[in-house]
């Protein structure tokens, strides 16, 4: 009689914690590097808090592929719009859509995050975008 080898599911990797929720001040953005659970290159992220929600985007402008910060970790975020420091493309902080500037209609690449126990984590789902910051 043939017997199949026992297969046990691999344990789930712990979620990748990015920062404390209270480190994200409403109306501001920070830069972070994060290693995805699946491995690969570090993700260069923009993490921002807008209207109580946490959003994350790759720190790569769709116009010319440059970082959006004007100095390391310093972003122009005004009235719910994130402005690329290189040529002024202006992005909606909620969905990352460019609403003005040289790449109008394109999007920042959203990265899924979730808030749990006062920490912001990379979410395991491949689809965007942030969750409410009220659980922490
Ligand atoms: S690289 Fe961002 S607007 Fe040109």
């Amino acid at each position: 009689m043939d017997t199949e080898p026992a297969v046990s599911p691999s344990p789930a990797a712990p979620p990748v914690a990015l920062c404390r929720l209270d480190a994200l001040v409403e109306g501001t953005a920070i830069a972070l590097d994060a290693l995805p659970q699946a491995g690969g290159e570090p993700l260069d992220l923009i993490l921002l808090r807008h209207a109580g929600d946490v959003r994350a985007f790759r720190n790569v402008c769709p116009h010319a592929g440059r970082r959006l910060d004007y100095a390391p970790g310093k972003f122009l975020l005004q009235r719910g719009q994130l402005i690329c420091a290189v040529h002024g493309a202006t992005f909606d902080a909620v969905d990352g859509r460019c609403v003005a500037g040289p790449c109008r209609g394109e999007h920042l690449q959203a990265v899924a995050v979730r808030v749990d126990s006062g920490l912001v984590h990379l979410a395991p789902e491949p689809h965007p975008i942030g969750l409410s910051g009220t659980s922490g």
Side-chain angles (χ1 to χ4, degrees), residues 84-125:
C84 179
V86 182
H87 306 110
T90 302
F91 300 90
D92 185 296
V94 174
D95 63 6
R97 182 175 55 91
C98 182
V99 296
C103 52
R104 187 182 196 106
E106 295 187 53
H107 285 78
L108 295 171
Q109 183 180 348
V111 175
V113 293
R114 64 185 171 90
V115 177
D116 186 28
S117 301
L119 294 173
V120 181
H121 300 269
L122 280 181
E125 305 84 25

PDB file of all heavy atoms in Angstrom, residues 84-125:
ATOM      1  N   CYS A  84       5.081  65.740  -5.979  1.00  0.00           N
ATOM      2  CA  CYS A  84       6.429  65.279  -6.281  1.00  0.00           C
ATOM      3  C   CYS A  84       7.373  66.477  -6.322  1.00  0.00           C
ATOM      4  O   CYS A  84       7.106  67.471  -7.005  1.00  0.00           O
ATOM      5  CB  CYS A  84       6.450  64.531  -7.611  1.00  0.00           C
ATOM      6  SG  CYS A  84       8.108  63.957  -8.072  1.00  0.00           S
ATOM      7  N   ALA A  85       8.476  66.365  -5.612  1.00  0.00           N
ATOM      8  CA  ALA A  85       9.411  67.486  -5.517  1.00  0.00           C
ATOM      9  C   ALA A  85      10.209  67.699  -6.795  1.00  0.00           C
ATOM     10  O   ALA A  85      10.825  68.749  -6.957  1.00  0.00           O
ATOM     11  CB  ALA A  85      10.358  67.261  -4.340  1.00  0.00           C
ATOM     12  N   VAL A  86      10.195  66.753  -7.704  1.00  0.00           N
ATOM     13  CA  VAL A  86      11.061  66.873  -8.881  1.00  0.00           C
ATOM     14  C   VAL A  86      10.451  67.802  -9.934  1.00  0.00           C
ATOM     15  O   VAL A  86      11.065  68.791 -10.326  1.00  0.00           O
ATOM     16  CB  VAL A  86      11.369  65.486  -9.479  1.00  0.00           C
ATOM     17  CG1 VAL A  86      12.303  65.614 -10.670  1.00  0.00           C
ATOM     18  CG2 VAL A  86      11.983  64.584  -8.415  1.00  0.00           C
ATOM     19  N   HIS A  87       9.236  67.506 -10.388  1.00  0.00           N
ATOM     20  CA  HIS A  87       8.612  68.337 -11.420  1.00  0.00           C
ATOM     21  C   HIS A  87       7.196  68.765 -11.039  1.00  0.00           C
ATOM     22  O   HIS A  87       6.451  69.268 -11.881  1.00  0.00           O
ATOM     23  CB  HIS A  87       8.558  67.609 -12.769  1.00  0.00           C
ATOM     24  CG  HIS A  87       9.868  67.099 -13.255  1.00  0.00           C
ATOM     25  ND1 HIS A  87      10.160  65.758 -13.303  1.00  0.00           N
ATOM     26  CD2 HIS A  87      10.974  67.745 -13.684  1.00  0.00           C
ATOM     27  CE1 HIS A  87      11.397  65.595 -13.765  1.00  0.00           C
ATOM     28  NE2 HIS A  87      11.915  66.783 -13.990  1.00  0.00           N
ATOM     29  N   GLY A  88       6.784  68.498  -9.820  1.00  0.00           N
ATOM     30  CA  GLY A  88       5.523  69.036  -9.335  1.00  0.00           C
ATOM     31  C   GLY A  88       4.272  68.237  -9.618  1.00  0.00           C
ATOM     32  O   GLY A  88       3.166  68.743  -9.421  1.00  0.00           O
ATOM     33  N   ALA A  89       4.386  66.988 -10.056  1.00  0.00           N
ATOM     34  CA  ALA A  89       3.171  66.180 -10.228  1.00  0.00           C
ATOM     35  C   ALA A  89       2.437  66.120  -8.883  1.00  0.00           C
ATOM     36  O   ALA A  89       3.056  65.951  -7.834  1.00  0.00           O
ATOM     37  CB  ALA A  89       3.523  64.774 -10.703  1.00  0.00           C
ATOM     38  N   THR A  90       1.124  66.256  -8.939  1.00  0.00           N
ATOM     39  CA  THR A  90       0.313  66.331  -7.730  1.00  0.00           C
ATOM     40  C   THR A  90      -0.620  65.124  -7.678  1.00  0.00           C
ATOM     41  O   THR A  90      -1.378  64.878  -8.623  1.00  0.00           O
ATOM     42  CB  THR A  90      -0.493  67.645  -7.728  1.00  0.00           C
ATOM     43  OG1 THR A  90       0.436  68.742  -7.818  1.00  0.00           O
ATOM     44  CG2 THR A  90      -1.302  67.786  -6.454  1.00  0.00           C
ATOM     45  N   PHE A  91      -0.541  64.374  -6.578  1.00  0.00           N
ATOM     46  CA  PHE A  91      -1.265  63.113  -6.444  1.00  0.00           C
ATOM     47  C   PHE A  91      -2.297  63.188  -5.340  1.00  0.00           C
ATOM     48  O   PHE A  91      -2.038  63.745  -4.263  1.00  0.00           O
ATOM     49  CB  PHE A  91      -0.279  61.975  -6.129  1.00  0.00           C
ATOM     50  CG  PHE A  91       0.768  61.782  -7.188  1.00  0.00           C
ATOM     51  CD1 PHE A  91       1.981  62.457  -7.120  1.00  0.00           C
ATOM     52  CD2 PHE A  91       0.536  60.946  -8.272  1.00  0.00           C
ATOM     53  CE1 PHE A  91       2.944  62.302  -8.104  1.00  0.00           C
ATOM     54  CE2 PHE A  91       1.496  60.784  -9.267  1.00  0.00           C
ATOM     55  CZ  PHE A  91       2.699  61.459  -9.182  1.00  0.00           C
ATOM     56  N   ASP A  92      -3.449  62.600  -5.583  1.00  0.00           N
ATOM     57  CA  ASP A  92      -4.466  62.467  -4.555  1.00  0.00           C
ATOM     58  C   ASP A  92      -3.934  61.514  -3.478  1.00  0.00           C
ATOM     59  O   ASP A  92      -3.488  60.405  -3.788  1.00  0.00           O
ATOM     60  CB  ASP A  92      -5.742  61.906  -5.188  1.00  0.00           C
ATOM     61  CG  ASP A  92      -6.891  61.851  -4.215  1.00  0.00           C
ATOM     62  OD1 ASP A  92      -6.799  61.109  -3.217  1.00  0.00           O
ATOM     63  OD2 ASP A  92      -7.886  62.539  -4.466  1.00  0.00           O
ATOM     64  N   ALA A  93      -3.989  61.933  -2.227  1.00  0.00           N
ATOM     65  CA  ALA A  93      -3.425  61.132  -1.145  1.00  0.00           C
ATOM     66  C   ALA A  93      -4.255  59.884  -0.855  1.00  0.00           C
ATOM     67  O   ALA A  93      -3.780  58.961  -0.197  1.00  0.00           O
ATOM     68  CB  ALA A  93      -3.304  61.972   0.127  1.00  0.00           C
ATOM     69  N   VAL A  94      -5.488  59.825  -1.339  1.00  0.00           N
ATOM     70  CA  VAL A  94      -6.336  58.667  -1.075  1.00  0.00           C
ATOM     71  C   VAL A  94      -6.056  57.532  -2.060  1.00  0.00           C
ATOM     72  O   VAL A  94      -5.823  56.393  -1.660  1.00  0.00           O
ATOM     73  CB  VAL A  94      -7.833  59.058  -1.109  1.00  0.00           C
ATOM     74  CG1 VAL A  94      -8.724  57.827  -0.983  1.00  0.00           C
ATOM     75  CG2 VAL A  94      -8.126  60.053   0.004  1.00  0.00           C
ATOM     76  N   ASP A  95      -6.054  57.860  -3.350  1.00  0.00           N
ATOM     77  CA  ASP A  95      -5.896  56.777  -4.331  1.00  0.00           C
ATOM     78  C   ASP A  95      -4.614  56.877  -5.166  1.00  0.00           C
ATOM     79  O   ASP A  95      -4.360  56.021  -6.021  1.00  0.00           O
ATOM     80  CB  ASP A  95      -7.115  56.698  -5.249  1.00  0.00           C
ATOM     81  CG  ASP A  95      -7.322  57.936  -6.103  1.00  0.00           C
ATOM     82  OD1 ASP A  95      -6.454  58.845  -6.086  1.00  0.00           O
ATOM     83  OD2 ASP A  95      -8.358  58.001  -6.787  1.00  0.00           O
ATOM     84  N   GLY A  96      -3.811  57.903  -4.931  1.00  0.00           N
ATOM     85  CA  GLY A  96      -2.535  58.019  -5.626  1.00  0.00           C
ATOM     86  C   GLY A  96      -2.631  58.476  -7.065  1.00  0.00           C
ATOM     87  O   GLY A  96      -1.633  58.476  -7.784  1.00  0.00           O
ATOM     88  N   ARG A  97      -3.805  58.917  -7.493  1.00  0.00           N
ATOM     89  CA  ARG A  97      -3.973  59.356  -8.884  1.00  0.00           C
ATOM     90  C   ARG A  97      -3.361  60.739  -9.068  1.00  0.00           C
ATOM     91  O   ARG A  97      -3.551  61.637  -8.250  1.00  0.00           O
ATOM     92  CB  ARG A  97      -5.459  59.395  -9.258  1.00  0.00           C
ATOM     93  CG  ARG A  97      -5.738  59.799 -10.699  1.00  0.00           C
ATOM     94  CD  ARG A  97      -7.232  59.688 -11.004  1.00  0.00           C
ATOM     95  NE  ARG A  97      -8.036  60.454 -10.054  1.00  0.00           N
ATOM     96  CZ  ARG A  97      -8.387  61.723 -10.237  1.00  0.00           C
ATOM     97  NH1 ARG A  97      -8.033  62.356 -11.332  1.00  0.00           N
ATOM     98  NH2 ARG A  97      -9.120  62.349  -9.335  1.00  0.00           N
ATOM     99  N   CYS A  98      -2.651  60.915 -10.164  1.00  0.00           N
ATOM    100  CA  CYS A  98      -2.077  62.223 -10.473  1.00  0.00           C
ATOM    101  C   CYS A  98      -3.196  63.127 -10.986  1.00  0.00           C
ATOM    102  O   CYS A  98      -3.831  62.818 -11.995  1.00  0.00           O
ATOM    103  CB  CYS A  98      -0.955  62.107 -11.509  1.00  0.00           C
ATOM    104  SG  CYS A  98      -0.181  63.699 -11.874  1.00  0.00           S
ATOM    105  N   VAL A  99      -3.411  64.236 -10.284  1.00  0.00           N
ATOM    106  CA  VAL A  99      -4.497  65.148 -10.636  1.00  0.00           C
ATOM    107  C   VAL A  99      -3.988  66.396 -11.337  1.00  0.00           C
ATOM    108  O   VAL A  99      -4.780  67.165 -11.888  1.00  0.00           O
ATOM    109  CB  VAL A  99      -5.330  65.529  -9.394  1.00  0.00           C
ATOM    110  CG1 VAL A  99      -6.019  64.289  -8.823  1.00  0.00           C
ATOM    111  CG2 VAL A  99      -4.471  66.199  -8.321  1.00  0.00           C
ATOM    112  N   ALA A 100      -2.668  66.611 -11.323  1.00  0.00           N
ATOM    113  CA  ALA A 100      -2.085  67.764 -12.012  1.00  0.00           C
ATOM    114  C   ALA A 100      -0.610  67.494 -12.228  1.00  0.00           C
ATOM    115  O   ALA A 100       0.028  66.795 -11.457  1.00  0.00           O
ATOM    116  CB  ALA A 100      -2.281  69.034 -11.189  1.00  0.00           C
ATOM    117  N   GLY A 101      -0.098  68.069 -13.330  1.00  0.00           N
ATOM    118  CA  GLY A 101       1.330  67.925 -13.591  1.00  0.00           C
ATOM    119  C   GLY A 101       1.604  67.021 -14.772  1.00  0.00           C
ATOM    120  O   GLY A 101       0.697  66.638 -15.518  1.00  0.00           O
ATOM    121  N   PRO A 102       2.870  66.656 -14.947  1.00  0.00           N
ATOM    122  CA  PRO A 102       3.299  66.002 -16.183  1.00  0.00           C
ATOM    123  C   PRO A 102       2.825  64.565 -16.385  1.00  0.00           C
ATOM    124  O   PRO A 102       2.996  64.029 -17.484  1.00  0.00           O
ATOM    125  CB  PRO A 102       4.831  66.060 -16.088  1.00  0.00           C
ATOM    126  CG  PRO A 102       5.115  66.137 -14.632  1.00  0.00           C
ATOM    127  CD  PRO A 102       3.988  66.918 -14.045  1.00  0.00           C
ATOM    128  N   CYS A 103       2.265  63.931 -15.361  1.00  0.00           N
ATOM    129  CA  CYS A 103       1.788  62.545 -15.544  1.00  0.00           C
ATOM    130  C   CYS A 103       0.317  62.422 -15.136  1.00  0.00           C
ATOM    131  O   CYS A 103      -0.116  61.387 -14.626  1.00  0.00           O
ATOM    132  CB  CYS A 103       2.660  61.564 -14.765  1.00  0.00           C
ATOM    133  SG  CYS A 103       2.883  61.980 -13.029  1.00  0.00           S
ATOM    134  N   ARG A 104      -0.428  63.469 -15.406  1.00  0.00           N
ATOM    135  CA  ARG A 104      -1.847  63.524 -15.058  1.00  0.00           C
ATOM    136  C   ARG A 104      -2.556  62.248 -15.519  1.00  0.00           C
ATOM    137  O   ARG A 104      -2.393  61.798 -16.653  1.00  0.00           O
ATOM    138  CB  ARG A 104      -2.477  64.742 -15.726  1.00  0.00           C
ATOM    139  CG  ARG A 104      -3.892  65.008 -15.307  1.00  0.00           C
ATOM    140  CD  ARG A 104      -4.456  66.210 -16.072  1.00  0.00           C
ATOM    141  NE  ARG A 104      -5.635  66.687 -15.404  1.00  0.00           N
ATOM    142  CZ  ARG A 104      -5.695  67.790 -14.684  1.00  0.00           C
ATOM    143  NH1 ARG A 104      -4.652  68.567 -14.588  1.00  0.00           N
ATOM    144  NH2 ARG A 104      -6.806  68.129 -14.080  1.00  0.00           N
ATOM    145  N   GLY A 105      -3.347  61.663 -14.592  1.00  0.00           N
ATOM    146  CA  GLY A 105      -4.108  60.452 -14.891  1.00  0.00           C
ATOM    147  C   GLY A 105      -3.382  59.163 -14.535  1.00  0.00           C
ATOM    148  O   GLY A 105      -4.009  58.118 -14.437  1.00  0.00           O
ATOM    149  N   GLU A 106      -2.068  59.230 -14.344  1.00  0.00           N
ATOM    150  CA  GLU A 106      -1.340  58.037 -13.902  1.00  0.00           C
ATOM    151  C   GLU A 106      -1.457  57.923 -12.383  1.00  0.00           C
ATOM    152  O   GLU A 106      -1.955  58.834 -11.723  1.00  0.00           O
ATOM    153  CB  GLU A 106       0.116  58.104 -14.356  1.00  0.00           C
ATOM    154  CG  GLU A 106       0.260  58.073 -15.883  1.00  0.00           C
ATOM    155  CD  GLU A 106       1.710  57.977 -16.305  1.00  0.00           C
ATOM    156  OE1 GLU A 106       2.412  57.081 -15.828  1.00  0.00           O
ATOM    157  OE2 GLU A 106       2.120  58.821 -17.111  1.00  0.00           O
ATOM    158  N   HIS A 107      -0.973  56.811 -11.843  1.00  0.00           N
ATOM    159  CA  HIS A 107      -1.108  56.565 -10.400  1.00  0.00           C
ATOM    160  C   HIS A 107       0.226  56.213  -9.768  1.00  0.00           C
ATOM    161  O   HIS A 107       1.063  55.544 -10.391  1.00  0.00           O
ATOM    162  CB  HIS A 107      -2.054  55.377 -10.134  1.00  0.00           C
ATOM    163  CG  HIS A 107      -3.491  55.695 -10.334  1.00  0.00           C
ATOM    164  ND1 HIS A 107      -4.069  55.770 -11.578  1.00  0.00           N
ATOM    165  CD2 HIS A 107      -4.477  55.960  -9.435  1.00  0.00           C
ATOM    166  CE1 HIS A 107      -5.351  56.063 -11.438  1.00  0.00           C
ATOM    167  NE2 HIS A 107      -5.625  56.185 -10.150  1.00  0.00           N
ATOM    168  N   LEU A 108       0.371  56.623  -8.512  1.00  0.00           N
ATOM    169  CA  LEU A 108       1.405  56.033  -7.672  1.00  0.00           C
ATOM    170  C   LEU A 108       1.008  54.588  -7.438  1.00  0.00           C
ATOM    171  O   LEU A 108      -0.187  54.253  -7.417  1.00  0.00           O
ATOM    172  CB  LEU A 108       1.491  56.757  -6.321  1.00  0.00           C
ATOM    173  CG  LEU A 108       1.929  58.215  -6.358  1.00  0.00           C
ATOM    174  CD1 LEU A 108       1.755  58.833  -4.969  1.00  0.00           C
ATOM    175  CD2 LEU A 108       3.381  58.327  -6.817  1.00  0.00           C
ATOM    176  N   GLN A 109       1.990  53.730  -7.231  1.00  0.00           N
ATOM    177  CA  GLN A 109       1.674  52.326  -6.958  1.00  0.00           C
ATOM    178  C   GLN A 109       1.312  52.175  -5.486  1.00  0.00           C
ATOM    179  O   GLN A 109       2.157  52.371  -4.605  1.00  0.00           O
ATOM    180  CB  GLN A 109       2.857  51.433  -7.308  1.00  0.00           C
ATOM    181  CG  GLN A 109       2.550  49.963  -7.103  1.00  0.00           C
ATOM    182  CD  GLN A 109       3.715  49.070  -7.449  1.00  0.00           C
ATOM    183  OE1 GLN A 109       4.699  49.490  -8.047  1.00  0.00           O
ATOM    184  NE2 GLN A 109       3.615  47.822  -7.058  1.00  0.00           N
ATOM    185  N   ALA A 110       0.055  51.848  -5.221  1.00  0.00           N
ATOM    186  CA  ALA A 110      -0.408  51.663  -3.848  1.00  0.00           C
ATOM    187  C   ALA A 110       0.125  50.348  -3.287  1.00  0.00           C
ATOM    188  O   ALA A 110       0.295  49.365  -4.005  1.00  0.00           O
ATOM    189  CB  ALA A 110      -1.929  51.673  -3.805  1.00  0.00           C
ATOM    190  N   VAL A 111       0.387  50.356  -1.999  1.00  0.00           N
ATOM    191  CA  VAL A 111       0.844  49.164  -1.287  1.00  0.00           C
ATOM    192  C   VAL A 111      -0.139  48.927  -0.133  1.00  0.00           C
ATOM    193  O   VAL A 111      -0.453  49.849   0.619  1.00  0.00           O
ATOM    194  CB  VAL A 111       2.280  49.370  -0.735  1.00  0.00           C
ATOM    195  CG1 VAL A 111       2.723  48.189   0.109  1.00  0.00           C
ATOM    196  CG2 VAL A 111       3.253  49.613  -1.891  1.00  0.00           C
ATOM    197  N   ALA A 112      -0.632  47.709  -0.024  1.00  0.00           N
ATOM    198  CA  ALA A 112      -1.636  47.405   0.997  1.00  0.00           C
ATOM    199  C   ALA A 112      -1.011  47.392   2.383  1.00  0.00           C
ATOM    200  O   ALA A 112       0.037  46.771   2.604  1.00  0.00           O
ATOM    201  CB  ALA A 112      -2.277  46.053   0.704  1.00  0.00           C
ATOM    202  N   VAL A 113      -1.647  48.096   3.301  1.00  0.00           N
ATOM    203  CA  VAL A 113      -1.228  48.100   4.695  1.00  0.00           C
ATOM    204  C   VAL A 113      -2.451  47.873   5.566  1.00  0.00           C
ATOM    205  O   VAL A 113      -3.590  48.038   5.133  1.00  0.00           O
ATOM    206  CB  VAL A 113      -0.541  49.433   5.080  1.00  0.00           C
ATOM    207  CG1 VAL A 113       0.778  49.599   4.358  1.00  0.00           C
ATOM    208  CG2 VAL A 113      -1.443  50.629   4.840  1.00  0.00           C
ATOM    209  N   ARG A 114      -2.191  47.452   6.795  1.00  0.00           N
ATOM    210  CA  ARG A 114      -3.283  47.332   7.756  1.00  0.00           C
ATOM    211  C   ARG A 114      -2.765  47.762   9.119  1.00  0.00           C
ATOM    212  O   ARG A 114      -1.560  47.736   9.377  1.00  0.00           O
ATOM    213  CB  ARG A 114      -3.850  45.919   7.793  1.00  0.00           C
ATOM    214  CG  ARG A 114      -2.899  44.869   8.265  1.00  0.00           C
ATOM    215  CD  ARG A 114      -3.538  43.486   8.135  1.00  0.00           C
ATOM    216  NE  ARG A 114      -2.561  42.452   8.381  1.00  0.00           N
ATOM    217  CZ  ARG A 114      -2.322  41.954   9.590  1.00  0.00           C
ATOM    218  NH1 ARG A 114      -2.988  42.397  10.630  1.00  0.00           N
ATOM    219  NH2 ARG A 114      -1.411  41.014   9.749  1.00  0.00           N
ATOM    220  N   VAL A 115      -3.700  48.145   9.954  1.00  0.00           N
ATOM    221  CA  VAL A 115      -3.357  48.608  11.287  1.00  0.00           C
ATOM    222  C   VAL A 115      -3.859  47.576  12.282  1.00  0.00           C
ATOM    223  O   VAL A 115      -5.009  47.141  12.222  1.00  0.00           O
ATOM    224  CB  VAL A 115      -3.996  49.987  11.569  1.00  0.00           C
ATOM    225  CG1 VAL A 115      -3.690  50.427  12.995  1.00  0.00           C
ATOM    226  CG2 VAL A 115      -3.503  51.009  10.561  1.00  0.00           C
ATOM    227  N   ASP A 116      -2.961  47.153  13.166  1.00  0.00           N
ATOM    228  CA  ASP A 116      -3.319  46.158  14.175  1.00  0.00           C
ATOM    229  C   ASP A 116      -2.535  46.454  15.445  1.00  0.00           C
ATOM    230  O   ASP A 116      -1.306  46.580  15.409  1.00  0.00           O
ATOM    231  CB  ASP A 116      -2.988  44.756  13.648  1.00  0.00           C
ATOM    232  CG  ASP A 116      -3.461  43.662  14.587  1.00  0.00           C
ATOM    233  OD1 ASP A 116      -4.445  43.882  15.320  1.00  0.00           O
ATOM    234  OD2 ASP A 116      -2.826  42.592  14.591  1.00  0.00           O
ATOM    235  N   SER A 117      -3.245  46.560  16.544  1.00  0.00           N
ATOM    236  CA  SER A 117      -2.625  46.771  17.851  1.00  0.00           C
ATOM    237  C   SER A 117      -1.665  47.960  17.865  1.00  0.00           C
ATOM    238  O   SER A 117      -0.578  47.898  18.452  1.00  0.00           O
ATOM    239  CB  SER A 117      -1.882  45.497  18.295  1.00  0.00           C
ATOM    240  OG  SER A 117      -2.774  44.405  18.359  1.00  0.00           O
ATOM    241  N   GLY A 118      -2.063  49.014  17.207  1.00  0.00           N
ATOM    242  CA  GLY A 118      -1.258  50.224  17.226  1.00  0.00           C
ATOM    243  C   GLY A 118      -0.054  50.209  16.307  1.00  0.00           C
ATOM    244  O   GLY A 118       0.771  51.114  16.358  1.00  0.00           O
ATOM    245  N   LEU A 119       0.048  49.168  15.464  1.00  0.00           N
ATOM    246  CA  LEU A 119       1.161  49.079  14.515  1.00  0.00           C
ATOM    247  C   LEU A 119       0.621  49.051  13.092  1.00  0.00           C
ATOM    248  O   LEU A 119      -0.436  48.468  12.828  1.00  0.00           O
ATOM    249  CB  LEU A 119       1.982  47.810  14.756  1.00  0.00           C
ATOM    250  CG  LEU A 119       2.736  47.715  16.078  1.00  0.00           C
ATOM    251  CD1 LEU A 119       3.349  46.326  16.233  1.00  0.00           C
ATOM    252  CD2 LEU A 119       3.808  48.786  16.179  1.00  0.00           C
ATOM    253  N   VAL A 120       1.379  49.659  12.190  1.00  0.00           N
ATOM    254  CA  VAL A 120       1.051  49.597  10.765  1.00  0.00           C
ATOM    255  C   VAL A 120       1.886  48.478  10.156  1.00  0.00           C
ATOM    256  O   VAL A 120       3.100  48.427  10.340  1.00  0.00           O
ATOM    257  CB  VAL A 120       1.363  50.930  10.063  1.00  0.00           C
ATOM    258  CG1 VAL A 120       0.989  50.850   8.582  1.00  0.00           C
ATOM    259  CG2 VAL A 120       0.642  52.088  10.745  1.00  0.00           C
ATOM    260  N   HIS A 121       1.207  47.556   9.466  1.00  0.00           N
ATOM    261  CA  HIS A 121       1.867  46.393   8.863  1.00  0.00           C
ATOM    262  C   HIS A 121       1.670  46.402   7.359  1.00  0.00           C
ATOM    263  O   HIS A 121       0.663  46.903   6.859  1.00  0.00           O
ATOM    264  CB  HIS A 121       1.239  45.086   9.369  1.00  0.00           C
ATOM    265  CG  HIS A 121       1.325  44.883  10.828  1.00  0.00           C
ATOM    266  ND1 HIS A 121       2.363  44.222  11.429  1.00  0.00           N
ATOM    267  CD2 HIS A 121       0.484  45.246  11.825  1.00  0.00           C
ATOM    268  CE1 HIS A 121       2.172  44.179  12.733  1.00  0.00           C
ATOM    269  NE2 HIS A 121       1.040  44.799  12.991  1.00  0.00           N
ATOM    270  N   LEU A 122       2.612  45.788   6.639  1.00  0.00           N
ATOM    271  CA  LEU A 122       2.330  45.438   5.254  1.00  0.00           C
ATOM    272  C   LEU A 122       1.235  44.382   5.277  1.00  0.00           C
ATOM    273  O   LEU A 122       1.320  43.415   6.031  1.00  0.00           O
ATOM    274  CB  LEU A 122       3.566  44.831   4.576  1.00  0.00           C
ATOM    275  CG  LEU A 122       4.647  45.763   4.067  1.00  0.00           C
ATOM    276  CD1 LEU A 122       5.758  44.934   3.425  1.00  0.00           C
ATOM    277  CD2 LEU A 122       4.093  46.772   3.089  1.00  0.00           C
ATOM    278  N   ALA A 123       0.212  44.553   4.464  1.00  0.00           N
ATOM    279  CA  ALA A 123      -0.854  43.569   4.397  1.00  0.00           C
ATOM    280  C   ALA A 123      -0.428  42.439   3.454  1.00  0.00           C
ATOM    281  O   ALA A 123       0.302  42.670   2.493  1.00  0.00           O
ATOM    282  CB  ALA A 123      -2.138  44.222   3.887  1.00  0.00           C
ATOM    283  N   PRO A 124      -0.853  41.216   3.725  1.00  0.00           N
ATOM    284  CA  PRO A 124      -0.458  40.120   2.853  1.00  0.00           C
ATOM    285  C   PRO A 124      -1.120  40.170   1.483  1.00  0.00           C
ATOM    286  O   PRO A 124      -0.610  39.609   0.532  1.00  0.00           O
ATOM    287  CB  PRO A 124      -0.908  38.874   3.624  1.00  0.00           C
ATOM    288  CG  PRO A 124      -1.951  39.351   4.575  1.00  0.00           C
ATOM    289  CD  PRO A 124      -1.639  40.793   4.856  1.00  0.00           C
ATOM    290  N   GLU A 125      -2.250  40.878   1.358  1.00  0.00           N
ATOM    291  CA  GLU A 125      -2.946  40.918   0.082  1.00  0.00           C
ATOM    292  C   GLU A 125      -2.144  41.757  -0.906  1.00  0.00           C
ATOM    293  O   GLU A 125      -1.578  42.772  -0.537  1.00  0.00           O
ATOM    294  CB  GLU A 125      -4.337  41.545   0.216  1.00  0.00           C
ATOM    295  CG  GLU A 125      -5.215  40.896   1.231  1.00  0.00           C
ATOM    296  CD  GLU A 125      -4.967  41.418   2.630  1.00  0.00           C
ATOM    297  OE1 GLU A 125      -4.504  42.528   2.788  1.00  0.00           O
ATOM    298  OE2 GLU A 125      -5.226  40.658   3.575  1.00  0.00           O
TER     299      GLU A 125
END
